[in-house]
Amino acid sequence: MQRLKGIIFIVSGAKLWGATGPLMEWLLNHTSLTVSFMLTIRLSVAGMILITYLLLTGKNIFGIWQHKLWGRQLIVFGIVGMLGVQFAFVAAIHESNAVLATLLQFLAPIFVVAYVSLSLKKWPPKYQVIGIIGTLMGLFLLLTNASFESLLISPKALLWGVAVGLTFAFYTLYPARLMREWNVLLVVGWGMLIGGLTLGIVSRVWLSNQWVVFTDFKTLLLMVALIFFGTVAFILFLSSMKYITAVETSILSSIEPLTAMIISVIVFGTSLGFWQLVGVFVMLVCVTWLSIAGEKA
């Protein structure tokens, strides 16, 4: 029953997170919302929800700030990790679509392997090399539909996609010690709040004329859904890891891009060519291979 609970959690979380991509794509395409304004609201509100939840459950939400080392790491994580990956992801959606942006985050394991190999000053194991080559082959098919003549996305979209992979890798590696020392939800909650407030200050959100979009009930409802889905998805993802292995989590997480793809096809009429679909399959298989082989190693 415990394992079943973990599977239900990760599948539900992956579906909810996969749904946030098309939601953001619709908002960016059909309203005057900008990437900066949307993310400022989303991160700030989601961060406050998590911090308030922890406060109501009796957690010491300010203890982490009493240690300069942890406080500095939390700020770096909030700005470079949390805000970095979220901004790159939404910008990639804005420049391409939710399906491509969601799949491009699977470049992250390649950057993780590269960082670890450089740190250890040795070549990665054969299984990682095979996984990386396969992932890049799948990416090539996804971006070109097996044509050498041109990319199916703009160079700007590809740049943001690579940024998603890089920032997601940083997001995965950097806060490891921080999350071991402190409550994971506490780190994520503060990270979201720091990222949202930082972006709000930089973009001077209080002067924005975009607040008026919230007078439209449909836009307001979709923003509430976006914040709710994203927050609940992350909680379910973290909770699932108590009951199932990291390999199972990685495999079942592949439901995320599939959910984004199905919703995008239904809502936006997004279509992928035959070789693009092959590329999607190859990428998911290779990322799963990296996870399974890494666990066994």
Side-chain angles (χ1 to χ4, degrees):
M1 287 300 295
Q2 294 296 309
R3 184 170 176 274
L4 178 61
K5 184 189 293 186
I7 291 172
I8 292 172
F9 280 177
I10 186 59
V11 169
S12 300
K15 286 181 178 179
L16 286 174
W17 189 252
T20 62
L23 264 177
M24 286 187 283
E25 184 176 349
W26 191 94
L27 285 166
L28 289 168
N29 289 342
H30 294 85
T31 71
S32 61
L33 286 173
T34 62
V35 173
S36 295
F37 186 86
M38 180 192 292
L39 269 184
T40 296
I41 302 301
R42 182 188 181 190
L43 288 174
S44 299
V45 174
M48 284 188 285
I49 289 173
L50 286 177
I51 294 297
T52 302
Y53 166 76
L54 292 171
L55 184 63
L56 293 176
T57 54
K59 299 292 190 299
N60 179 9
I61 63 172
F62 297 108
I64 192 169
W65 295 108
Q66 296 173 0
H67 306 270
K68 290 183 178 180
L69 173 64
W70 300 121
R72 284 196 299 268
Q73 289 191 16
L74 186 56
I75 291 172
V76 172
F77 169 67
I79 296 174
V80 183
M82 182 65 71
L83 177 57
V85 71
Q86 294 278 347
F87 193 94
F89 180 63
V90 180
I93 290 176
H94 184 55
E95 295 295 334
S96 56
N97 58 58
V99 176
L100 283 170
T102 304
L103 286 166
L104 285 169
Q105 74 183 16
F106 283 96
L107 289 175
I110 295 177
F111 295 119
V112 171
V113 169
Y115 172 79
V116 172
S117 297
L118 287 172
S119 299
L120 298 176
K121 296 181 180 179
K122 65 178 184 179
W123 286 99
K126 289 181 180 178
Y127 76 86
Q128 289 183 341
V129 174
I130 294 171
I132 289 171
I133 292 172
T135 302
L136 291 175
M137 287 176 61
L139 179 63
F140 170 78
L141 294 175
L142 176 66
L143 299 181
T144 65
N145 198 31
S147 170
F148 288 90
E149 294 180 0
S150 62
L151 286 174
L152 298 180
I153 62 172
S154 68
K156 193 173 182 180
L158 180 58
L159 184 63
W160 279 117
V162 173
V164 174
L166 277 169
T167 52
F168 194 80
F170 180 87
Y171 177 92
T172 303
L173 292 169
Y174 182 80
R177 287 183 57 207
L178 195 62
M179 290 184 173
R180 281 197 301 267
E181 186 72 21
W182 299 91
N183 183 291
V184 174
L185 288 183
L186 179 70
V187 174
V188 172
W190 276 120
M192 286 180 167
L193 192 55
I194 292 167
L197 293 178
T198 300
L199 184 58
I201 292 170
V202 171
S203 63
R204 297 193 293 180
V205 69
W206 58 89
L207 297 178
S208 175
N209 58 3
Q210 294 180 67
W211 292 100
V212 70
V213 300
F214 293 126
T215 58
D216 176 62
F217 180 73
K218 186 176 183 179
T219 302
L220 179 61
L221 186 63
L222 288 176
M223 277 298 295
V224 170
L226 180 63
I227 293 167
F228 177 77
F229 287 174
T231 305
V232 173
F234 199 89
I235 293 172
L236 288 172
F237 176 79
L238 292 173
S239 300
S240 72
M241 298 179 75
K242 298 178 183 178
Y243 308 110
I244 58 178
T245 66
V247 170
E248 290 173 316
T249 299
S250 176
I251 294 171
L252 293 172
S253 291
S254 63
I255 292 172
E256 176 191 331
L258 298 179
T259 301
M261 191 182 304
I262 292 169
I263 294 175
S264 293
V265 168
I266 294 172
V267 176
F268 302 110
T270 302
S271 61
L272 296 176
F274 172 76
W275 288 109
Q276 285 183 294
L277 291 172
V278 172
V280 171
F281 176 76
V282 170
M283 285 186 72
L284 294 180
V285 168
C286 289
V287 168
T288 302
W289 160 256
L290 279 171
S291 300
I292 294 174
E295 185 81 1
K296 290 180 178 179

